[in-house]
Every structure is written in C-alpha cells, then in structure tokens.
C-alpha cells in the first residue's frame, strides 16, 4: 500500500521512515508539490512521466507514487488512461477554500489568544521579524520566493500554535498550502498592490493586545484581499 504523508509533517521537515525507495519517493513528492504550489507547474499542465523523469532525475515508479499522493490533496488529477495533470484553479474552488480557511483559522486564533502565554507571544514576534525581513520585495520568480513562502507560513502557523488541537493545526496547514497556489497565481499575473507587512502587523498587534475580535477581523480581511486580486484573473 502507498504510504501517505501529511503536509504539516512535511513542512516541519520530518521524513517518513522506510527504505531508500520511500525516501526517494518522498523527495520527488515534496519537489513536485512545491513546484505546483509556487506556480512553476501551472494549473492544467499534463504531467508526462517521461518528461518528469528528466526534470526530477528519478524513475517512473517513484513519480507515479508521488503523483498519486498529490491527488487527495487537490494538487493533481488522474486522467482516465491518460496519466496525470496539475489540478485546475477556479474562483468557485477558492471561495470554498476561503470560507473553510476563515472558519478554521478564526477558531484556532481565538483559542490561541485564550490559551497562549508569553513564550507563544515571543515566537510570534520572532516569526513576524523574519517574515518582515523577507518581504521588502515580492517577486514570484526570484530565488527567494520559496524562502518567503516558508517564512510566511511559519508566521501564520505561529499565530494559531496554541489552539490546543493538533487536528485543527493540520487542517490549517493543508489549507494554507492549497491557498498558496492562488497566491502564487496572483504574484505571477499582477503587480503587488498590497502592503503585506502592514497587513500582518495589524494581525499581530491585535493578538498581542489579546483582542480576539480585532485579530480575527484583521485575519479575515487579509484573506479577503487575495480574493479581490483573484477575481479579475479567474473571471472569464
């Protein structure tokens, strides 16, 4: 049976146990997943095994296993008798994702504000500092794009880290990654017209004041801004 991985564990740098074949498949899975999220493999592209073998320097079996793992995550579609393709992105799917993400992270943020202590606050401040250092520029095509994504996710996960529910944290991690496909699409398609640092500052300031209503409101506004940018891109 094919081993499944969860996105939260992968982002934490954990590797599955097993032999060299499993580790190779994990590495290919991670690389293809990152390329889809970052927009280097665009929506709708056919994923031809022979081409992928050359691009990722591996054999057909690890590739097929890796692609199969990406199907339930919503990144890859299996085509009947025709292989695989990168899943399409649509405004309707994003709206569903946005609704679920706002519900889950609002719940997690409120719980973290209630439960979190000074150590949690310190981790948020540090995560905001590193995020701020990475975002003077915002070019989806440069070599720092992957690092900016990592630091962005680290900040959002730090904000909800004390919610008390590992399952909720896993869900939020997975939703963040699916959302990042859409953020990458905006970054490639349109010039940045948002002050990303200021948006995150507002969230963090409200969290440190322990003002749950203001923090959740700033978080939801932050996610809604991406929806505004996406609409002209994804509307026929």
């Amino acid at each position: 049976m094919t081993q499944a991985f969860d996105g939260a564990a992968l982002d934490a740098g954990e590797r599955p146990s097993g032999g060299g074949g499993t580790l190779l498949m994990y590495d290919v899975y991670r690389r293809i997943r990152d390329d889809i999220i970052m927009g280097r493999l665009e929506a709708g592209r056919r994923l031809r095994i022979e081409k992928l073998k050359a691009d990722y320097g591996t054999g057909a079996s690890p590739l097929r296993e890796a692609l199969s793992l990406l199907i339930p995550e919503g990144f890859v579609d299996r085509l009947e008798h025709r292989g695989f393709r990168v899943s399409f992105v649509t405004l309707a799917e994003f709206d569903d994702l946005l609704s679920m993400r706002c519900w889950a992270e609002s719940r997690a943020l409120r719980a973290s504000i209630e439960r979190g202590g000074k150590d949690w606050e310190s981790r948020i401040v540090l995560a905001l500092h590193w995020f701020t250092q990475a975002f003077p520029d915002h070019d989806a095509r440069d070599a720092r794009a992957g690092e900016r994504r990592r630091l962005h996710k680290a900040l959002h996960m730090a904000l909800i880290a004390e919610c008390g529910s590992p399952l909720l944290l896993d869900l939020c991690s997975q939703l963040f990654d699916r959302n990042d496909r859409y953020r990458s699409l905006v970054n490639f398609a349109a010039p940045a017209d948002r002050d990303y640092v200021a948006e995150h500052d507002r969230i963090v300031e409200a969290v440190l004041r322990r003002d749950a209503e203001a923090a959740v409101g700033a978080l939801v506004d932050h996610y809604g801004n991406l929806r505004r940018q996406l609409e002209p891109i994804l509307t026929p």
Side-chain angles (χ1 to χ4, degrees), residues 125-138 144 147-148 151-152 155 196-197 200-201:
V125 171
L126 183 60
L128 177 64
H129 168 75
W130 288 115
F131 168 83
T132 301
Q133 297 304 303
F135 267 81
D137 50 27
H138 198 68
R144 299 181 62 207
E147 180 69 2
R148 283 196 295 272
L151 293 170
H152 186 202
L155 173 56
Y196 290 92
V197 172
H200 290 84
D201 279 341

Side-chain angles (χ1 to χ4, degrees), residues 102-152:
C102 288
W103 175 84
E105 291 199 29
S106 295
R107 184 183 182 93
L109 186 58
R110 289 181 189 277
S112 293
I113 290 171
E114 181 178 341
R115 294 165 51 91
K118 291 298 182 183
D119 288 345
W120 170 66
E121 291 182 0
S122 297
R123 294 196 300 273
I124 291 172
V125 171
L126 183 60
L128 177 64
H129 168 75
W130 288 115
F131 168 83
T132 301
Q133 297 304 303
F135 267 81
D137 50 27
H138 198 68
D139 189 344
R141 296 167 177 81
D142 73 18
R144 299 181 62 207
E147 180 69 2
R148 283 196 295 272
R149 169 181 139 71
R150 185 186 70 78
L151 293 170
H152 186 202

Side-chain angles (χ1 to χ4, degrees), residues 2 18 24 27 29 39 43 51 55-56 61 65 87 94 103 107 122 135 166 175 216 224-225:
T2 302
L24 176 61
D27 183 64
Y29 162 88
K51 177 72 164 58
D55 290 345
Y56 293 93
S61 293
E65 290 188 49
S87 297
F94 180 80
W103 175 84
R107 184 183 182 93
S122 297
F135 267 81
L175 293 174
V216 168
N225 283 335

